[in-house]
Amino acid sequence: MTPLRISYIGGGSDIADFYEQDRGAVVSTACDKYIYVTVKAHSPLFNEAYRINYSVTEHTDSLADIRNDIVRECLRLVTVPAPLQVNIASDLPANSGLASSSAFAVGLLYALHTLRGEDVSAAQLAEEACTVEIERLGHPIGKQDQYAAAFGGLNLIQFHPGGAVSIDPISIGEDRLRVLFRDSLVFWTGIQRSAATILTEQRAKLADTRPLVAAMRDDAMVLRDKLRANCTIAEIGALLDSNWRRKRELASSISEERIDRWYEAALAAGAHGGKLLGAGGGGFLLLLAPPEKHAAVRAALGDLTEVPMAYEPRGARVLYAVT
């Protein structure tokens, strides 16, 4: 069971093209929406080496023939004997900006290690997921999502030249956490998109946009300090707003007319600020607004579905294991 995440500020500075030259930093939090993975020995009576159940069901006798690339490469990295069955379920749709693919990789790796009777740290899980997604599969993504899924909680995550990652938990107390999530509204836009196209363009333009990414990285440090200093939701919202306006300059497909219209309508209704979660292009729209403005914001976005979310302090964890 691995949590999805809400990324506030700093996305884009977690890719190697940036942090190898100029340290990256993001602020993100795990939330109470999850990816669930079950791995079990499969009976030889089914006459198949692998059964993989997700939105489709794969039946194959060869590891190389598994079409789900994350499953295939996780099984190559952490080997377990066939026949094997892998089942995947999610609380929310994929390709929606909540880092479901990285949460899935972390969860599957944890399940495979558990099946082998091995203890594994959150840091090892995160790095192995990065190996699968970035090194072996060549996905044009950064390293923040794997660490958010493995560690959970509210953190400043920093990315250093050479690939080292440091986790700085942001401890603000239960009351402040409740206020942060109480004043956070998350809406499903109904737009599912692959982050790969957006991130590929974003990387291609990095030579020109590096100062923008650096400013967003610096604002991640500012947000950490503001959270610890008991700042107001209005201050956080204003910081998210300025970063969202910067982020839209990083690639042409990060936003579009409908998204801009929804966002401006929410601000007009009393929201302090917000952003699309993840790489952009669709998925979930996060807004910060005081409780007395929630009804107006919901009315302004009446064609979108609200999805309540709460804080999750824990990262990936094993719910049940039989050895």
Side-chain angles (χ1 to χ4, degrees):
M1 179 179 179
T2 311
L4 302 179
R5 66 95 183 97
I6 294 171
S7 180
Y8 291 114
I9 284 178
S13 71
D14 62 323
I15 62 173
D17 292 2
F18 183 85
Y19 68 70
E20 287 295 354
Q21 298 183 36
D22 195 357
R23 175 186 51 85
V26 303
V27 172
S28 70
T29 183
C31 65
D32 66 337
K33 300 295 181 285
Y34 307 93
I35 300 289
Y36 307 87
V37 179
T38 302
V39 177
K40 65 180 292 293
H42 196 40
S43 172
L45 298 180
F46 288 102
N47 296 314
E48 57 191 7
Y50 300 98
R51 179 178 295 186
I52 317 297
N53 296 312
Y54 48 110
S55 56
V56 299
T57 299
E58 296 189 43
H59 308 267
T60 178
D61 288 324
S62 169
L63 177 59
D65 290 337
I66 296 175
R67 299 191 304 277
N68 188 303
D69 55 1
I70 290 178
V71 171
R72 185 182 63 248
E73 296 308 318
C74 284
L75 287 172
R76 283 175 169 162
L77 183 66
V78 182
T79 59
V80 296
L84 194 72
Q85 183 179 130
V86 179
N87 303 292
I88 307 112
S90 177
D91 285 334
L92 294 173
N95 299 322
S96 59
L98 295 176
S100 58
S101 65
S102 295
F104 168 45
V106 168
L108 177 54
L109 289 164
Y110 203 174
L112 293 172
H113 280 292
T114 301
L115 191 64
R116 286 169 31 147
E118 297 170 347
D119 291 328
V120 60
S121 69
Q124 181 179 339
L125 286 174
E127 278 302 314
E128 287 182 350
C130 290
T131 296
V132 167
E133 293 193 277
I134 300 171
E135 296 180 21
R136 297 196 173 191
L137 294 174
H139 292 173
I141 61 175
K143 299 181 74 169
Q144 67 159 311
D145 295 343
Q146 300 85 355
Y147 277 83
F151 279 86
L154 173 64
N155 303 292
L156 173 77
I157 309 175
Q158 298 188 68
F159 311 92
H160 306 277
V165 178
S166 55
I167 306 291
D168 182 7
I170 305 174
S171 300
I172 61 175
E174 292 185 8
D175 289 344
R176 288 285 296 151
L177 281 168
R178 279 194 292 269
V179 169
L180 177 61
F181 276 84
R182 180 200 67 190
D183 293 354
S184 299
L185 301 173
V186 180
F187 293 91
W188 171 236
T189 66
I191 304 170
Q192 289 177 271
R193 83 293 174 270
S194 170
T197 301
I198 297 171
L199 293 172
T200 298
E201 180 188 354
Q202 189 171 317
R203 291 175 67 180
K205 295 176 65 175
L206 185 58
D208 297 324
T209 61
R210 183 175 291 274
L212 281 174
V213 178
M216 295 168 69
R217 180 273 320 276
D218 291 344
D219 276 346
M221 317 296 287
V222 173
L223 179 56
R224 175 200 58 184
D225 295 341
K226 283 183 175 292
L227 288 167
R228 287 176 172 169
N230 199 28
C231 67
T232 66
I233 289 296
E235 291 177 271
I236 301 174
L239 198 56
L240 292 186
D241 177 68
S242 66
N243 270 263
W244 170 238
R245 296 183 189 278
R246 287 192 182 112
K247 185 179 179 70
R248 287 185 297 188
E249 299 181 42
L250 301 182
S252 60
S253 52
I254 284 178
S255 192
E256 58 162 81
E257 182 180 350
R258 285 178 299 171
I259 294 167
D260 292 342
R261 188 171 64 248
W262 288 324
Y263 184 71
E264 295 302 328
L267 294 186
H272 294 307
K275 57 168 291 192
L276 280 181
L277 297 176
F284 286 94
L285 176 62
L286 167 70
L287 297 160
L288 293 186
E292 64 271 17
K293 298 294 184 180
H294 285 190
V297 172
R298 291 180 178 120
L301 302 179
D303 51 343
L304 301 185
T305 301
E306 184 180 359
V307 179
M309 293 190 185
Y311 175 65
E312 173 53 79
R314 295 167 293 181
R317 60 190 185 273
V318 175
L319 296 181
Y320 184 69
V322 176
T323 57

